Amino acid sequence: MSSTKNIDVFFSAQSFQENELRDKSVVVIDVLRATSTIVTAMMNGAKGVIPVEDMGEASRISQSVDSDNYMLCGEKDGAKIDGYDLGNSPLEYTRETVSGKTLIFNTTNGTKAIKKSLGSATIYIASFLNLSTIVKALSVEKNEIVLLCAGWKGRLALEDMLLAGNIIYNLCDAQLSDEANDGAKVAFGLYEKYSDDIKSVVFQSNHAQRLKDVVGTDDIDYCCQTDITDQLPILHDGIIST
């Protein structure tokens, strides 16, 4: 990538039409918590992650596979779904639990964003946890790039935009082109403003406040870590793997 003018940012899964992604490389971002959880699952040896849009799709897939090798995972409005093996806390996705397993994964925002991206050329899964690996992959990407923030039920999520801005900041060596798209300028500006204290800003975000009431703060602490893994999860034929 020679210029950030080929990068755009969408602030939620409802802020675009699917045809806007055609032939582009999409980076799905859901810091709290879906993409952080997917990256963690892959880091701890999961065979793959099948993102689904809703509980109905998850149920259909789970009924057609060998339950010894598959796990049903996810949340609704932050809380683990009754009957699921795991929720959406990355801390649950330990090596002992997920190694060698394929995870059927259903979340309120993140997996919907992934499913809406299926018409694109490539789908990467990004978090602060694998930031540098994502930046390295995008630095040689030939397609136009869309950073797709999952948001929260159609609304902007500050933590997702901060990660998008961080990615752009690193890609352009802190010098954003005047020709950059508006979305890239907004994300870049947010990151520039708050880069000295990302964790505190994320903790103050609307979605973090909602999560604290449901699951406490340990997940938020974990998801704010940077570069703890070099995993590069990509969607292939409906399954996320590395």
Side-chain angles (χ1 to χ4, degrees), residues 17-31:
Q17 300 298 317
E18 285 93 330
N19 60 10
E20 294 179 75
L21 303 183
R22 201 164 310 283
D23 299 322
K24 298 179 181 179
S25 291
V26 175
V27 182
V28 178
I29 297 170
D30 186 358
V31 172

Side-chain angles (χ1 to χ4, degrees), residues 4 10 30 51 67 71 114 135 148 153 163 191 226-227 229:
T4 49
F10 296 148
D30 186 358
S67 60
M71 301 180 75
I114 295 169
V135 170
L148 171 51
K153 295 187 175 181
L163 177 55
Y191 176 72
T226 300
D227 287 333
T229 181

Side-chain angles (χ1 to χ4, degrees), residues 62-195:
S62 67
Q63 289 170 15
S64 64
V65 297
D66 176 6
S67 60
D68 290 340
N69 296 313
Y70 287 76
M71 301 180 75
L72 197 53
C73 311
E75 52 76 28
K76 183 171 183 177
D77 295 332
K80 177 184 171 185
I81 298 169
D82 287 344
Y84 278 28
D85 298 300
L86 299 172
N88 189 24
S89 169
L91 301 177
E92 295 180 275
Y93 290 70
T94 62
R95 184 164 294 275
E96 294 75 17
T97 302
V98 303
S99 182
K101 303 284 189 180
T102 299
L103 313 177
I104 303 166
F105 194 48
N106 170 33
T107 70
T108 304
N109 304 293
T111 59
K112 290 177 175 59
I114 295 169
K115 294 289 283 187
K116 196 172 178 183
S117 306
L118 291 181
S120 60
T122 309
I123 300 174
Y124 298 98
I125 305 299
S127 65
F128 283 109
L129 310 176
N130 66 333
L131 170 65
S132 290
T133 299
I134 289 289
V135 170
K136 183 178 179 181
L138 296 181
S139 69
V140 296
E141 181 61 63
K142 299 294 192 292
N143 297 319
E144 291 186 43
I145 294 168
V146 171
L147 305 180
L148 171 51
C149 301
W152 187 79
K153 295 187 175 181
R155 298 177 64 182
L156 182 148
L158 180 60
E159 66 279 3
D160 293 347
M161 290 292 285
L162 283 171
L163 177 55
N166 197 345
I167 291 169
I168 295 167
Y169 188 90
N170 289 351
L171 279 173
C172 70
D173 295 326
Q175 301 295 322
L176 188 66
S177 166
D178 290 339
E179 298 177 331
N181 288 304
D182 288 356
K185 288 176 179 174
V186 170
F188 181 90
L190 278 172
Y191 176 72
E192 263 199 325
K193 179 175 176 60
Y194 294 119
S195 59

Side-chain angles (χ1 to χ4, degrees), residues 91 127-130 199 220-228:
L91 301 177
S127 65
F128 283 109
L129 310 176
N130 66 333
K199 185 174 178 179
I220 305 167
D221 270 321
Y222 177 86
C223 294
C224 289
Q225 298 177 99
T226 300
D227 287 333
I228 67 168

